[in-house]
Amino acid sequence: MKSTLAFAVATATVAGFGLAGAAGAAPTPPASILLTITSGATGDVKEVSLGCGPTGGDHPQAELACGDLNDARGDFEKLKGDADVMCPMVYEPVVAEAQGTFDGVPVVWKKEFGNTCELNARTGAVFAF
């Protein structure tokens, strides 16, 4: 009887910790976004799909990209990137575009950057493909 009671208390304690840990993590909202980078010099186009909540698509860093997008709450202007990155002062413009939905809200975003380094420094993993 004592061992059954101890097992029940231990199970309830572990289950309680599991629920507390899960409650602290913010779920990733569903997203389905087509990401495009177009080179201003050559016109070459790179394109990937990104799915979040659950993670999917053909983005090579989908988990990181979804995390960055979730932190910005789906607002591409609020992507953090890495302010410490030093990019060369070489003008090779690229245009980044995003179209789709994030948490049920339509996403249409387009912005030109001086070069790919600047794009990645400003947008983190989202356009790192």
Side-chain angles (χ1 to χ4, degrees):
M1 181 73 155
K2 282 186 178 182
S3 64
T4 304
L5 180 59
F7 176 76
V9 170
T11 303
T13 303
V14 169
F17 282 122
L19 291 174
T28 300
S32 178
I33 300 173
L34 181 65
L35 302 166
T36 307
I37 302 172
T38 305
S39 168
T42 64
D44 289 344
V45 177
K46 290 194 262 180
E47 185 175 270
V48 298
S49 61
L50 175 65
C52 303
T55 303
D58 57 357
H59 193 294
Q61 298 183 52
E63 288 285 335
L64 292 173
C66 287
D68 288 350
L69 200 53
N70 193 35
D71 290 346
R73 298 178 191 250
D75 185 343
F76 281 75
E77 290 297 321
K78 293 182 180 175
L79 289 170
K80 298 272 192 236
D82 186 354
D84 294 331
V85 171
M86 298 294 291
C87 292
M89 299 293 287
V90 176
Y91 186 66
E92 294 176 344
V94 293
V95 176
E97 295 181 68
Q99 296 181 353
T101 60
F102 181 86
D103 201 17
V105 177
V107 171
V108 177
W109 181 84
K110 181 177 182 178
K111 189 166 187 171
E112 183 174 315
F113 295 87
N115 56 44
T116 303
C117 178
E118 183 184 323
L119 165 65
N120 291 330
R122 297 276 310 279
T123 62
V126 175
F127 285 94
F129 55 87

